[in-house]
Amino acid sequence: MLKPEPKPWIAAIRAYVPGTSKSASGRPLVKLSANENPLGSSPAALAALAEAHVAADYPDPDARALREAIAVVHSLDPALIVCGTGSGELLHCAVQALAGPGDEVLMSRYSFSLYPLLAQKVGAVPVFADPEGYGASVDRLLAAVTERTRVVLLDNPNNPVGTFLPPAEVARLHAGLPADVLLVIDEAYAEYVDPAFQTHAFALAKAHGNVLVSRTFSKAYGLASERVGWATGPAHLVDLVNRLRGAFNVSVSGQKAAAAAMSDQGFVAAAREHNARERARLAGAIAALGNHGISASPSEANFLLVHFEGEVTAGAALAALAEAGYAVRHLPSQGLPNALRITIGTTAATTDVIAALRKLCGEAAA
Ligand SMILES: *Cc1c(COP(=O)(O)O)cnc(C)c1O
């Protein structure tokens, strides 16, 4: 054993595996493996980035202007918003605040691959509730709650499946939890959902003491590189996260770009519309390959989880898509050896992916 020895729960961690952008032979590929925005970023955000050239000074530790920009768009109290180095930092803080060695952090079997790490980092045990189909099951999550459960992590829409738990189901999950269990609703993909379903989690967090909602600028806002996320919830939870987060956790450029992006809701709407259109086109093409054992889970996010249960394997499809120039996400380490998660890319990318899958199945070009 190497000295100094880490804590046993730290030694057991396997580092987060990000999406690749290279083929097995090292050739660069178009990335459809990390759910990035194929439209790039809002021009307003890019202009703000070009102006944010002060590197010598610390950023505003409280991201005041950014929190106010978020509060205006979402009709929230800026005092109940906390910003993070991506929403990942905030999820980490939430788990760290409530769970420790011996405690349980509950999630659906197929959830964001970061979640088990968040539990392990604090010595807690990640507990996986069986899904329904592949998506989260409220009944099975509630049945898996024990007296050791401290936090429930729910990504809605879910990654890697893409399923969306409707507001009534999320409310039923919350209603079934003890008041001393924190429900974190991770809405990284909320902007891709029908706008009518985008505010229910905020209302739940406003009405209850044990709900925290997180959002990110990494997906529909197209600012993954800037590492900005935010969360909202009751004052005592926001206070806990504020104590645990990094003191200067969002850079000057990140704060400026995110605030400008918030004020350009037209870009977000365009991203949602592009995504809905191309996702429907890809889903339709995959449904047409059903006789080859290929299907996609229903998705409200900016990707499709595609299942390969016939003669064409996920591995063969991964290779064929790499050959066509695209990197997608194979998730055997998440218990999905027969599935690929394909990010919705540009219109050209969708066309190429469809053509590559049809060719692999021996079908004529569509
Ligand atoms: C991409 C993603 C995030 C965003 O992480 P950031 O740290 O904000 O970049 C959060 N949750 C889920 C489920 C995701 O897929």
Side-chain angles (χ1 to χ4, degrees):
M1 178 55 92
L2 292 175
K3 306 274 175 176
E5 260 184 68
K7 294 292 182 194
W9 57 86
I10 301 295
I13 290 179
R14 277 194 262 151
Y16 178 76
V17 183
T20 56
S21 57
K22 287 203 176 109
S23 73
S25 63
R27 194 161 56 91
L29 302 172
V30 175
K31 228 168 134 195
L32 299 179
S33 57
N35 300 342
E36 291 146 336
N37 194 326
L39 304 185
S41 325
S42 146
L46 293 178
L49 272 180
E51 278 170 28
H53 46 58
V54 180
D57 296 348
Y58 280 109
D60 173 2
D62 296 318
R64 194 169 302 270
L66 173 56
R67 286 190 296 112
E68 273 161 16
I70 294 166
V72 166
V73 167
H74 292 290
S75 305
L76 295 169
D77 179 351
L80 300 183
I81 293 171
V82 52
C83 295
T85 314
S87 54
E89 183 193 19
L90 305 170
L91 298 173
H92 183 204
C93 293
V95 171
Q96 191 186 8
L98 289 152
D103 293 331
E104 294 176 354
V105 176
L106 178 60
M107 61 203 76
S108 184
R109 162 123 18 241
Y110 305 117
S111 299
F112 190 20
S113 58
L114 183 70
Y115 290 174
L117 281 172
L118 298 179
Q120 286 176 295
K121 273 188 182 181
V122 300
V125 181
V127 175
F128 302 95
D130 283 335
E132 196 174 296
Y134 290 90
S137 156
V138 169
D139 290 328
R140 289 173 186 162
L141 280 165
L142 288 176
V145 173
T146 74
E147 59 196 18
R148 296 212 189 122
T149 307
R150 309 298 306 135
V151 182
V152 178
L153 296 171
L154 179 76
D155 44 359
N156 199 36
N158 164 283
N159 172 12
V161 188
T163 43
F164 178 68
L165 216 50
E169 280 292 277
V170 178
R172 191 164 73 82
L173 172 62
H174 172 262
L177 293 175
D180 65 347
V181 172
L182 171 67
L183 174 62
V184 178
I185 308 175
D186 171 356
E187 297 198 315
Y189 302 98
E191 294 84 4
Y192 293 109
V193 174
D194 182 334
F197 296 130
Q198 288 186 18
T199 55
H200 70 105
F202 294 149
L204 209 59
K206 194 170 179 186
H208 301 283
N210 63 337
V211 179
L212 191 73
V213 181
S214 67
R215 292 277 185 116
T216 185
F217 285 92
S218 300
K219 306 285 159 58
Y221 285 90
L223 290 173
S225 164
E226 290 300 315
R227 313 301 308 122
V228 193
W230 58 279
T232 187
H236 65 107
L237 293 181
V238 170
D239 176 50
L240 288 176
V241 174
N242 268 318
R243 292 189 219 181
L244 292 167
R245 69 174 171 86
F248 298 100
N249 59 347
V250 187
S251 67
V252 171
S253 62
Q255 292 188 32
K256 291 202 167 154
M262 236 323 129
S263 67
D264 184 3
Q265 288 298 311
F267 177 83
V268 180
R272 174 167 54 249
E273 282 155 27
H274 167 86
N275 185 67
R277 187 176 63 244
E278 295 303 312
R279 188 182 62 205
R281 198 157 71 87
L282 183 57
I286 284 163
L289 296 174
N291 55 327
H292 295 276
I294 302 178
S295 63
S297 289
S299 172
E300 295 292 328
N302 66 342
F303 54 83
L304 285 180
L305 187 69
V306 183
H307 306 275
F308 295 84
E309 283 148 342
E311 79 278 18
V312 172
T313 64
L318 183 72
L321 289 168
E323 185 60 32
Y326 293 93
V328 301
R329 193 77 173 255
H330 192 197
L331 294 164
S333 62
Q334 273 192 265
L336 293 166
N338 301 318
L340 298 178
R341 194 194 66 192
I342 304 179
T343 302
I344 304 305
T346 61
T347 302
T350 308
T351 301
D352 288 351
V353 167
I354 292 170
L357 291 177
R358 288 190 67 82
K359 187 173 160 207
L360 181 65
C361 291
E363 295 282 350

